[in-house]
C-alpha cells in the first residue's frame, strides 16, 4: 500500500481556509484532517478522537518531552498540538493527512517532516482580505488592522512553502489544491522505490 502524504496548509485569517478544505474533501477521496491534541477539558458534545485528542496537562507535557508532537503551542493556559502517532498511523493506512496550522507551527513541522507538502493559501490582495474581514462582522476595526498586519508578516514567509494558491473563488481554489495532491503522488522521488524493486526482480520468463 502506498503511504499517504502530509499536507500542511496555512493562510491569513479571513482567507477562507476552512471553506476551501471543506470543499476539497467533498471532491477528493482518501484525505482527512489531522485531529489535534489539547490539554483543555472537553466541552459539552465534544468527542475524544473526533474533535480533539484530550489529554491532561501532564500527559501533554510528557508528549512534548518524548517528541511525540509535530508542533504545539500554549494558548490561554492550555496546550494545543499535532500528535505524531495519530498522523503516522493515518498515513500508514494510505490516507493523505491535512494539517491546518499557522505559519510558525508549519515551520516547526518542516524541521521534523521535510518531505511534507506545504501549501499557502492567499487572498487575491490585501484589500480583498480586509473586505472579507469587515464582512464577517465579528472584529473591531483595531482587530482587523492587526489581522491585516499579521497577514503581511505571514505572506512574507510564503517562501518557506511549496505552493501558493489564490482563493479568488472557493471551487477554483479547492480544485487547485486537488491538482497539487495528484501531482505530488506522481513525483519521481516518491515512487522511485517501487520501480527500483520492479527492475531488480528476476528476469521475466520467456514465453
Amino acid at each position: 500500500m502506498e503511504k499517504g502524504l502530509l499536507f500542511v496548509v496555512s493562510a491569513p485569517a479571513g482567507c477562507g481556509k476552512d471553506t476551501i478544505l471543506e470543499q476539497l474533501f467533498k471532491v477528493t477521496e482518501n484525505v482527512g484532517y489531522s485531529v489535534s491534541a489539547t490539554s483543555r477539558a472537553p466541552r459539552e458534545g465534544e468527542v475524544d478522537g473526533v474533535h480533539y485528542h484530550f489529554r491532561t496537562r501532564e500527559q501533554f507535557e510528557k508528549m512534548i518531552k518524548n517528541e511525540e508532537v509535530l508542533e504545539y503551542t500554549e494558548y490561554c493556559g492550555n496546550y494545543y498540538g499535532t500528535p505524531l502517532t495519530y498522523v503516522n498511523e493515518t498515513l500508514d493506512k494510505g490516507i493523505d493527512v491535512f494539517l491546518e496550522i499557522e505559519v510558525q507551527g508549519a515551520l516547526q513541522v518542516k524541521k521534523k517532516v521535510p518531505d511534507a507538502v506545504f501549501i499557502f493559501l492567499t487572498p487575491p490582495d490585501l484589500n480583498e482580505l480586509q473586505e472579507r474581514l469587515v464582512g464577517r462582522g465579528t472584529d473591531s476595526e483595531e482587530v482587523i488592522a492587526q489581522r491585516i498586519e499579521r497577514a503581511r508578516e505571514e505572506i512574507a514567509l510564503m517562501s518557506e512553502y511549496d505552493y501558493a494558491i489564490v482563493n479568488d473563488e472557493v471551487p477554483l481554489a479547492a480544485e487547485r489544491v486537488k491538482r497539487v495532491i495528484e501531482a505530488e503522488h506522481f513525483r519521481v522521488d516518491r515512487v522511485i522505490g517501487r520501480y527500483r524493486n520492479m527492475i531488480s526482480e528476476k528476469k521475466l520468463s520467456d514465453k
Side-chain angles (χ1 to χ4, degrees), residues 45-114:
E46 289 184 330
V47 178
D48 183 45
V50 175
H51 298 92
Y52 283 98
H53 297 288
F54 292 101
R55 302 291 183 265
T56 65
R57 188 174 181 85
E58 292 72 23
Q59 287 174 327
F60 204 112
E61 289 177 343
K62 185 177 180 180
M63 290 169 64
I64 295 172
K65 182 178 179 181
N66 293 337
E67 298 185 348
E68 295 173 356
V69 285
L70 273 175
E71 53 81 34
Y72 73 94
T73 188
E74 187 171 7
Y75 178 73
C76 294
N78 294 304
Y79 288 115
Y80 295 83
T82 304
L84 185 58
T85 299
Y86 173 82
V87 170
N88 285 336
E89 288 176 351
T90 306
L91 295 175
D92 287 342
K93 294 175 183 177
I95 299 172
D96 293 332
V97 174
F98 271 74
L99 176 57
E100 294 181 60
I101 51 177
E102 46 79 37
V103 173
Q104 294 304 321
L107 297 181
Q108 290 184 44
V109 174
K110 193 171 186 179
K111 292 179 180 178
K112 296 182 179 180
V113 192

Side-chain angles (χ1 to χ4, degrees), residues 36-192:
S36 297
T38 182
S39 63
R40 75 162 172 78
R43 294 170 183 156
E44 185 176 354
E46 289 184 330
V47 178
D48 183 45
V50 175
H51 298 92
Y52 283 98
H53 297 288
F54 292 101
R55 302 291 183 265
T56 65
R57 188 174 181 85
E58 292 72 23
Q59 287 174 327
F60 204 112
E61 289 177 343
K62 185 177 180 180
M63 290 169 64
I64 295 172
K65 182 178 179 181
N66 293 337
E67 298 185 348
E68 295 173 356
V69 285
L70 273 175
E71 53 81 34
Y72 73 94
T73 188
E74 187 171 7
Y75 178 73
C76 294
N78 294 304
Y79 288 115
Y80 295 83
T82 304
L84 185 58
T85 299
Y86 173 82
V87 170
N88 285 336
E89 288 176 351
T90 306
L91 295 175
D92 287 342
K93 294 175 183 177
I95 299 172
D96 293 332
V97 174
F98 271 74
L99 176 57
E100 294 181 60
I101 51 177
E102 46 79 37
V103 173
Q104 294 304 321
L107 297 181
Q108 290 184 44
V109 174
K110 193 171 186 179
K111 292 179 180 178
K112 296 182 179 180
V113 192
D115 66 338
V117 183
F118 294 81
I119 301 173
F120 193 90
L121 302 177
T122 75
D125 55 55
L126 291 181
N127 288 332
E128 174 73 16
L129 180 61
Q130 183 172 355
E131 290 178 8
R132 292 179 186 178
L133 291 170
V134 171
R136 294 198 307 192
T138 57
D139 298 321
S140 66
E141 290 185 7
E142 181 181 359
V143 170
I144 289 173
Q146 291 173 351
R147 291 191 183 281
I148 294 296
E149 185 56 35
R150 176 74 178 272
R152 292 180 189 275
E153 296 171 357
E154 291 174 334
I155 291 171
L157 291 171
M158 186 191 296
S159 60
E160 298 290 338
Y161 288 70
D162 300 307
Y163 298 91
I165 294 178
V166 177
N167 180 20
D168 43 5
E169 295 181 35
V170 170
L172 289 177
E175 180 61 28
R176 290 165 188 149
V177 177
K178 184 178 180 181
R179 291 176 190 169
V180 168
I181 297 172
E182 293 169 347
E184 284 292 327
H185 276 280
F186 290 111
R187 276 179 44 179
V188 169
D189 60 340
R190 297 193 189 281
V191 301
I192 189 64

